[in-house]
Amino acid sequence: MKKEMKHIANILLMAGVLLTLMGCDHEAVKLLERAEAYLPAKPDSAAACLDSIRQPERLDGAERAWYGLLRTYADNRQGKGVNSDSLIRDSYEYYRDESHEGKISDKTLLRHYAQSCYYMALYYSSCDSTKQCEDLLNQAIKGSEECEDWHTCYLAYIILGISTVWGNPEYAIQQSLKALDTYHKIDDDVNNEVLILGHLAVNFLSFAQPDSALKYYMKGYELAKKSHLQKSQNNICMGMASTYRYMGDYEKALDCAQKGIITADSTVLVTSLLTLAQCY
C-alpha cells in the first residue's frame, strides 16, 4: 500500500511539474506575442514584455529563436544597434532552416526569416563584412516582399543603398528609390521617410548630381519642418550646405548652415559649427 501511495505521489508530482512547465511556455508565448505587437512603434514596451520572460534560455527552439529575434529588434529600435550576433545568429539559423531559406509559403515564418536576415545584415555591417551584409539584405528584401512585410523591406533597401553608395552610387540611388516607393506602401514612420530622402540626396551628390541632391534635401527639409523633427532639420540643412559648397554657391551654403545651427542639439553641435565655419 505504501509503495502504491508513493508511486501515485510521484506521478502527481511529475504531472504538476509538467503543468507548471506548460504554463510557463504558454505565458512566454503570450509575452512574445505582445512584444511583437508593440514593434516597431513601441520598442520600450516590447522590451518590458521580453524582460518579463523568466529564463529565456530555457525556452524551446522555436520560442528561443522568436525571443532572440524580438530582443534584437527591440534593442535596435532603442538605438543600441546590432554589435553582437550572440542572439540573432541562432534565430537566423533557425528561421533559415525552418523556412528552407525563404522557400516556404507560411507568411509568419517567412516574415521572421526576412527580419532575421535583416538583423544579421546589420551585424555584418558593424563588422565591415560587406559581402555577407549585402547578400543577407537581398534575402531580407526577397522574403519581406513575398510576405508583404513592407517595414522590413524598405529598411533593407535603405541599408543596401548606404552600403553600396561609395562603390556603386548609381545602384545605391536605385535601392534608395525602391526604399521610398516601398515606404509609401505603409507610410508608418515619418522619421524614416525623411531618412530615405536624406540618403537619396547623399547618393545623388556621390553620383555628381547636386541638383537632384538638392531636390530630395528640400523635400526632406519641408517634411521634417512640418513634422517638427529638429534633429532631421539639422542633418538636412548641413547636407544642403555641403551641397551648395560643392556647387560653389557659398552664400546659399552659409544660409543653410545658419538655419541648421538653430536646430543643432549637443550631439551634433560641434560638427554643425565646423560646417558653418567652412561656409564663411
Side-chain angles (χ1 to χ4, degrees), residues 221-241:
Y221 179 73
E222 291 303 321
L223 185 57
K225 191 175 178 181
K226 180 182 175 182
S227 305
H228 308 291
L229 306 176
Q230 288 199 0
K231 186 174 180 181
S232 295
Q233 288 179 61
N234 168 265
N235 289 339
I236 289 173
C237 282
M238 293 308 165
M240 289 174 71

Side-chain angles (χ1 to χ4, degrees), residues 3-176:
K3 218 180 214 181
E4 287 178 5
M5 291 297 290
K6 190 174 179 183
H7 183 61
I8 291 168
N10 285 336
I11 290 173
L12 290 172
L13 179 62
M14 290 300 293
V17 170
L18 182 60
L19 286 170
T20 300
L21 289 172
M22 287 174 66
C24 288
D25 288 345
H26 181 65
E27 183 62 27
V29 168
K30 282 167 63 179
L31 287 165
L32 288 166
E33 287 174 346
R34 201 177 305 158
E36 188 163 39
Y38 279 127
L39 292 167
K42 298 179 179 178
D44 293 345
S45 298
C49 289
L50 297 172
D51 290 341
S52 298
I53 297 174
R54 290 175 293 176
Q55 298 180 304
E57 68 279 0
R58 291 195 173 186
L59 295 171
D60 68 23
E63 288 160 8
R64 192 165 61 251
W66 193 8
Y67 172 87
L69 173 61
L70 294 179
R71 175 60 77 182
T72 305
Y73 192 163
D75 285 353
N76 190 61
R77 287 290 294 177
Q78 289 178 313
K80 298 175 185 176
V82 186
N83 301 311
S84 168
D85 65 343
S86 59
L87 276 176
I88 193 58
R89 184 172 293 280
D90 287 345
S91 299
Y92 162 69
E93 290 176 353
Y94 175 85
Y95 290 123
R96 179 196 62 196
D97 295 343
E98 289 296 308
S99 71
H100 306 293
E101 296 187 356
K103 298 179 182 72
I104 196 167
S105 59
D106 185 313
K107 287 201 170 187
T108 299
L109 192 54
L110 196 53
R111 184 179 76 250
H112 288 163
Y113 170 64
Q115 290 172 343
S116 69
C117 286
Y118 173 71
Y119 289 109
M120 271 302 295
L122 292 190
Y123 166 70
Y124 279 121
S125 177
S126 74
C127 304
D128 293 324
S129 299
T130 306
K131 179 66 167 60
Q132 292 94 325
C133 173
E134 290 176 16
D135 288 347
L136 283 162
L137 288 171
N138 281 308
Q139 283 297 309
I141 289 166
K142 183 181 176 185
S144 58
E145 283 180 340
E146 286 181 21
C147 67
E148 298 184 349
D149 176 8
W150 303 124
H151 181 81
T152 301
C153 190
Y154 78 68
L155 290 178
Y157 274 127
I158 291 172
I159 303 302
L160 193 54
I162 292 170
S163 66
T164 57
V165 64
W166 300 116
N168 191 344
E170 187 174 9
Y171 176 79
I173 289 168
Q174 292 169 1
Q175 305 319 300
S176 297

Side-chain angles (χ1 to χ4, degrees), residues 186-205:
I186 50 172
D187 292 317
D188 65 342
D189 186 343
V190 68
N191 287 283
N192 286 337
E193 184 177 5
V194 174
L195 179 70
I196 295 168
L197 292 168
H199 283 307
L200 265 167
V202 170
N203 293 349
F204 274 112
L205 188 59

